[in-house]
Amino acid sequence: MRRPFAVAIGLDKNGHIMKNPLEYGKNKGKARAVVKRALITGITGQDGSYLADLLLAKGYEVHGIIRRASTFNTSRIDHLYQDAHVHGVRLFLHYGDLADSVNLVKLIYSLQPDEIYHLGAQSHVRVSFDIPEYTADVTGVGTIRILEAIREAGVKSRFYQASSSEMFGKVQEVPQTETTPFWPRSPYGVAKVFSYWATVNYRESYGLHASNGILFNHESPRRGETFVTRKLSRAVARIKCGLEKALFLGNLDARRDWGYAPEYVEGMWLMLQQDNPGDYVLATNETHSVREFAELAFGYVGLDWKEYVRHDERYERPAEVDLLIGDAAKAKKQLDWEPKIRFPELVRIMVDADLGLLKAAQSRSGVQSEWAA
């Protein structure tokens, strides 16, 4: 049975919203140590879940916005769940939507967060070609709604915007830095460029502490199953265990700068700890092709990728981004941030994780594969 989760801020004995639920407890209203409060959009995604891990470990009170659905979509943060009635809970989830500006204003006004991490989006690049209007509304205009909510609510929140290397698109220089011109090649990239400049505009117009993190591809075992790296690691596990015979992919020649997601969310946090806001590239300064990822992933379990990978043109983009590679020198200098997990280790982490998940599932069902034996 899936566990329920908190969807409301703490209430005092009169039923009023408490400005800081952690300031009250079983000591009959005696004040507790005030902690920082963060609000995360997209908390159920890969980055949101790792960021929640990080902030809770640092003692934050964490609030996340989730969309109402008839099915549970909180699997990435289930390990953080505590019953809202238990004393000392520091994770709270709230129903909301980036298309609902009134809800966003009310929520930000009620919470008065110290930091807002805006990670929510329609984030699948290929899918953005199929639903461009929705992508523009949620991924692009959704950012304006958050920024305007901060201004209307009159809060002093520090704001992080999850920008993307997809903004560079048809790259104008190699490697890409904070000053490289944008040339997006998808509705998703276009929406992210809008969000980037909206963040800059509100910073310059209203003095908001608003920063853009231009994050290059970052992966992990929590990556969505429709993204190419996770498709690969899952397929490798299933093929090794005899459950699948082939994997269909699109452009094998596309080259990306791939890093490890938990390290990148630390970079997000560091941006909001600076005295002044700014825009930063987070990247590994290495580029690898989808073909290289496939070769390493299959080779790790003793298989030849050429025997299993098939091409399917349906996974091709109408306009491709051929090469992304970032220079994170500014982040190194000003944030003291640099990646530690490199490409081969990232591939191993993801394949090991999916093999572990599959073996655990087979163990629960009483099925044993040759690999698990």
Side-chain angles (χ1 to χ4, degrees):
M1 178 181 295
R2 297 294 298 271
R3 298 168 298 185
F5 49 83
V7 293
I9 313 165
L11 303 178
D12 64 20
K13 63 181 180 181
N14 298 314
H16 299 136
I17 293 175
M18 295 188 292
K19 184 174 182 181
N20 188 341
L22 288 193
E23 293 177 356
Y24 303 84
K26 58 186 178 182
N27 294 324
K28 297 183 178 180
K30 290 183 179 179
R32 300 180 61 202
V34 177
V35 298
K36 280 188 175 182
R37 175 180 294 166
L39 174 63
I40 303 173
T41 71
I43 193 171
T44 59
Q46 170 189 251
D47 291 2
S49 66
Y50 281 122
L51 181 60
D53 286 338
L54 177 71
L55 296 179
L56 289 170
K58 290 182 178 295
Y60 279 63
E61 176 188 331
V62 177
H63 294 258
I65 298 176
I66 63 170
R67 288 175 296 172
R68 174 70 180 94
S70 58
T71 57
F72 285 102
N73 61 351
T74 58
S75 60
R76 292 187 180 96
I77 55 174
D78 277 351
H79 64 288
L80 298 174
Y81 172 80
Q82 286 181 281
D83 192 304
H85 302 92
V86 176
H87 174 66
V89 170
R90 290 188 289 114
L91 174 66
F92 300 86
L93 302 180
H94 309 265
Y95 288 128
D97 196 294
L98 292 173
D100 185 351
S101 57
V102 173
N103 172 264
L104 294 173
V105 173
K106 292 168 62 178
L107 187 59
I108 289 173
Y109 179 78
S110 297
L111 291 175
Q112 301 280 310
D114 299 288
E115 298 170 4
I116 297 175
Y117 296 87
H118 179 37
L119 313 182
Q122 191 300 101
S123 59
H124 198 287
V125 179
R126 178 62 189 85
V127 171
S128 76
F129 287 97
D130 300 325
I131 49 173
E133 182 181 343
Y134 175 79
T135 300
D137 184 42
V138 173
T139 305
V141 181
T143 303
I144 280 282
R145 294 187 182 109
I146 292 277
L147 289 164
E148 190 64 9
I150 293 171
R151 193 175 73 86
E152 285 292 323
V155 300
K156 300 298 183 182
S157 306
R158 296 188 173 192
F159 175 78
Y160 170 84
Q161 161 60 21
S163 295
S164 167
S165 59
E166 288 287 332
M167 299 188 304
F168 295 120
K170 188 176 181 180
V171 297
Q172 300 302 290
E173 64 180 357
V174 178
Q176 294 88 57
T177 72
E178 292 82 2
T179 60
T180 302
F182 301 135
W183 192 323
R185 299 269 283 174
S186 66
Y188 171 78
V190 171
K192 282 294 186 181
V193 170
F194 178 92
S195 293
Y196 174 93
W197 286 116
T199 300
V200 172
N201 181 255
Y202 271 68
R203 181 171 72 211
E204 295 177 348
S205 301
Y206 304 113
L208 269 60
H209 192 297
S211 298
N212 281 293
I214 308 173
L215 273 56
F216 281 65
N217 294 63
H218 45 288
E219 317 298 319
S220 76
R222 297 184 193 175
R223 189 55 142 154
E225 295 175 359
T226 60
F227 290 83
V228 66
T229 52
R230 188 72 195 287
K231 283 179 68 175
L232 271 161
S233 62
R234 288 186 75 246
V236 166
R238 293 180 65 81
I239 290 171
K240 184 64 180 180
C241 294
L243 299 177
E244 289 183 6
K245 295 183 178 179
L247 169 64
F248 293 89
L249 297 175
N251 183 11
L252 295 177
D253 296 318
R255 302 184 68 84
R256 297 291 184 267
D257 185 323
W258 275 306
Y260 186 45
E263 296 182 338
Y264 283 56
V265 300
E266 184 174 7
M268 299 176 188
W269 176 78
L270 286 168
M271 291 178 207
L272 296 199
Q273 310 316 305
Q274 306 307 302
D275 292 335
N276 298 308
D279 308 315
Y280 300 88
V281 163
L282 299 187
T284 68
N285 201 28
E286 295 181 10
T287 186
H288 300 275
S289 67
V290 176
R291 180 178 282 103
E292 288 178 75
F293 199 110
E295 183 177 6
L296 270 180
F298 278 94
Y300 181 55
V301 297
L303 299 176
D304 182 351
W305 72 275
K306 295 178 183 178
E307 297 181 12
Y308 304 98
V309 174
R310 307 287 185 269
H311 179 261
D312 188 334
E313 64 180 12
R314 290 177 297 179
Y315 297 126
E316 299 274 3
R317 302 180 187 179
E320 182 58 86
V321 173
D322 297 315
L323 170 66
L324 291 175
I325 177 171
D327 182 353
K330 179 181 177 181
K332 169 61 177 174
K333 180 180 180 180
Q334 296 189 14
L335 307 179
D336 194 25
W337 180 92
E338 61 181 337
K340 299 178 178 62
I341 301 296
R342 295 296 178 171
F343 182 68
E345 186 175 357
L346 171 65
V347 174
R348 290 194 297 270
I349 288 171
M350 294 186 67
V351 172
D352 279 338
D354 275 316
L355 282 169
L357 287 173
L358 191 53
K359 289 165 65 177
Q362 290 178 329
S363 178
R364 288 193 298 270
S365 65
V367 177
Q368 189 173 40
S369 68
E370 179 182 349
W371 171 256

